[in-house]
């Protein structure tokens, strides 16, 4: 008849939320390792992902590997729900007479989804990064100061960085509530959205790559316009997610560095995207832009695989149908 199938927004939001919660619960320790590896400058505390996870487990315990997970689990539901539902909305908006979308239109739909999600992603990652990196900073301070006092010159913390410290004793286990409250008190809402520009620069290209790639891989498993099997959707999400994740890793490194408020002794501070990119290139070399790429692929692949699997099963539709 030419009528488009109506999108059930509540069902899509439930699907995205359930998928996000399941995915984050599975891969959060690897995400923590990614953050700590990306924030290392010079001679770092960790030699790689496995070393980071082992040292974190030994020094901070099992729950130390899930530091910051509460923030993620709280906000990942709206984030993933917005991202996945927005992509569906834009795909339907850009489709004409139920014809298949061209690659350009698929990329535009992904662009719209990536732009929408940063409303939640930016403050979520801002708070999560502070919590994830606290353990690395404590070890870094001890390593630099040594048993006999400071071995590196102290630098004055910039006035706009309330969490930049100069002594090991200043390190306390941060709280997301305290960090958010202090940022709102000192910098207003702008403080929570620090790094918004670079978050957009990361998430929009990611979505432009991910959604068209997923749609085309997933299409290979469809039979006569039916949904692809769960496993095929899962694998499609894993492949598309890992490719997109590795492709935008340099932008993720910039985002992590810019959003990190605390800096260890002797570590660079940054004044914007260009300054951050220049200092990383000059002091650490081009390879530093790919720090944490393996971790990022291992995080994003199952995260989006699970997300798309749950999304295509239609848990949201089932729940709504049950209550109706």
């Amino acid at each position: 008849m030419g009528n488009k199938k109506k999108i059930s927004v509540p069902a899509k939001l439930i699907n995205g939320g359930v998928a996000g919660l399941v995915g984050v619960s599975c891969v959060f320790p690897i995400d923590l390792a990614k953050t700590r590896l990306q924030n290392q400058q010079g001679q770092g505390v960790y030699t790689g992902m496995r070393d980071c996870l082992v040292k974190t487990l030994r020094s901070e315990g099992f729950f130390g590997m899930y530091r910051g997970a509460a923030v993620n689990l709280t906000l990942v539901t709206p984030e993933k729900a917005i991202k996945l539902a927005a992509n569906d909305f834009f795909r339907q908006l850009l489709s004409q007479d139920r014809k298949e979308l061209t690659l350009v239109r698929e990329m535009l739909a992904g662009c719209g989804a990536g732009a929408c999600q940063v409303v939640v992603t930016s403050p979520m990652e801002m708070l999560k990064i502070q919590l994830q990196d606290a353990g690395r900073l404590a070890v870094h301070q001890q390593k630099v100061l040594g048993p006999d006092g400071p071995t590196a010159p102290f630098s004055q913390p910039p006035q706009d960085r309330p969490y930049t410290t100069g002594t090991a004793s200043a390190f306390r286990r941060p709280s997301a509530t305290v960090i958010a409250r202090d940022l709102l008190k000192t910098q207003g809402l702008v403080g929570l959205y620090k790094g918004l520009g670079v978050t957009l620069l990361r998430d929009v290209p990611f979505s432009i790559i991910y959604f068209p790639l997923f749609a085309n891989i997933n299409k290979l498993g469809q039979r006569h316009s039916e949904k692809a099997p769960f496993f095929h959707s899962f694998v499609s999400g894993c492949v598309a997610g890992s490719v997109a994740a590795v492709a935008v890793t340099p932008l993720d490194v910039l985002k992590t560095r810019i959003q990190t408020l605390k800096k260890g002794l002797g570590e660079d501070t940054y004044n914007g995207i260009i300054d951050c990119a220049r200092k990383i290139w000059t002091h650490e070399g081009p390879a530093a832009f790919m720090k944490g790429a393996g971790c990022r692929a291992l995080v994003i692949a199952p995260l989006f695989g699970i997300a798309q699997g749950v999304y295509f099963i239609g848990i949201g539709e089932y729940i709504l149908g049950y209550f109706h």
Side-chain angles (χ1 to χ4, degrees):
M1 293 289 294
N3 293 330
K4 294 175 184 178
K5 187 182 176 182
K6 244 182 138 180
I7 287 179
S8 171
V9 175
K12 300 301 182 186
L13 294 178
I14 292 171
N15 286 331
V18 171
L21 288 171
V22 174
V24 168
S25 301
C26 294
V27 300
F28 193 83
I30 302 174
D31 185 62
L32 178 138
K34 185 268 299 181
T35 297
R36 293 187 175 186
L37 291 172
Q38 287 184 339
N39 264 329
Q40 289 192 142
Q41 299 181 31
Q43 188 177 3
V45 176
Y46 312 109
T47 58
M49 181 185 71
R50 184 177 177 278
D51 182 57
C52 178
L53 292 174
V54 169
K55 286 180 177 176
T56 300
L57 184 62
R58 285 175 181 168
S59 61
E60 301 172 55
F62 175 78
F63 291 108
M65 296 193 296
Y66 281 87
R67 198 169 303 284
V71 174
N72 236 34
L73 290 170
T74 302
L75 295 177
V76 76
T77 298
E79 188 221 19
K80 284 290 174 285
I82 289 170
K83 186 186 189 85
L84 297 172
N87 180 65
D88 264 8
F89 171 77
F90 286 117
R91 286 179 71 88
Q92 180 164 309
L93 190 67
L94 292 167
S95 66
Q96 296 177 331
D97 300 323
R98 300 180 69 180
K99 292 179 181 176
E100 288 189 1
L101 288 177
T102 63
L103 180 60
V104 172
R105 286 175 181 264
E106 286 183 330
M107 293 171 74
L108 283 173
C111 178
C116 288
Q117 78 169 79
V118 296
V119 175
V120 178
T121 303
S122 192
M124 178 185 76
E125 299 245 325
M126 178 71 172
L127 296 173
K128 181 192 72 171
I129 285 170
Q130 317 316 316
L131 301 174
Q132 286 182 325
D133 203 44
R136 181 196 68 86
L137 282 170
V139 176
H140 172 82
Q141 282 312 70
Q142 291 169 5
K143 186 177 179 181
V144 172
L145 291 171
D148 303 318
T151 59
F154 287 82
S155 57
Q156 281 293 98
Q159 295 300 311
D160 65 338
R161 295 179 186 270
Y163 294 94
T164 305
T165 59
T167 63
S169 61
F171 279 98
R172 300 182 302 275
R173 293 298 180 198
S175 156
T177 306
V178 171
I179 294 171
R181 187 189 63 208
D182 288 353
L183 283 171
L184 288 170
K185 191 183 294 183
T186 58
Q187 300 177 36
L189 196 60
V190 175
L192 277 178
Y193 278 89
K194 181 181 176 66
L196 176 63
V198 72
T199 304
L200 272 168
L201 281 178
R202 181 199 67 171
D203 287 349
V204 170
F206 176 92
S207 296
I208 288 173
I209 296 168
Y210 172 78
F211 283 111
L213 185 57
F214 167 78
N216 284 281
I217 296 174
N218 194 59
K219 201 182 296 177
L220 299 175
Q222 293 175 341
R223 297 279 192 279
H224 308 297
S225 74
E226 294 179 358
K227 283 184 179 179
F230 171 83
F231 183 72
H232 189 88
S233 289
F234 175 80
V235 172
S236 300
C238 288
V239 172
S242 59
V243 171
V246 172
V248 301
T249 294
L251 296 166
D252 189 55
V253 171
L254 293 175
K255 187 197 74 67
T256 300
R257 294 284 182 95
I258 288 170
Q259 286 191 318
T260 300
L261 297 174
K262 277 186 177 180
K263 302 293 182 183
L265 294 174
E267 292 185 340
D268 288 330
T269 57
Y270 309 107
N271 184 27
I273 299 170
I274 295 174
D275 180 60
C276 181
R278 181 181 58 80
K279 285 180 178 176
I280 291 174
W281 182 278
T282 304
H283 300 158
E284 302 172 60
F289 287 102
M290 293 305 292
K291 281 185 176 180
C295 291
R296 187 161 161 74
L298 287 174
V299 168
I300 298 296
L303 185 62
F304 276 86
I306 292 168
Q308 292 295 359
V310 171
Y311 203 65
F312 274 75
I313 284 174
I315 289 178
E317 286 82 355
Y318 176 80
I319 292 172
L320 291 177
Y322 177 80
F323 284 106
H324 280 88

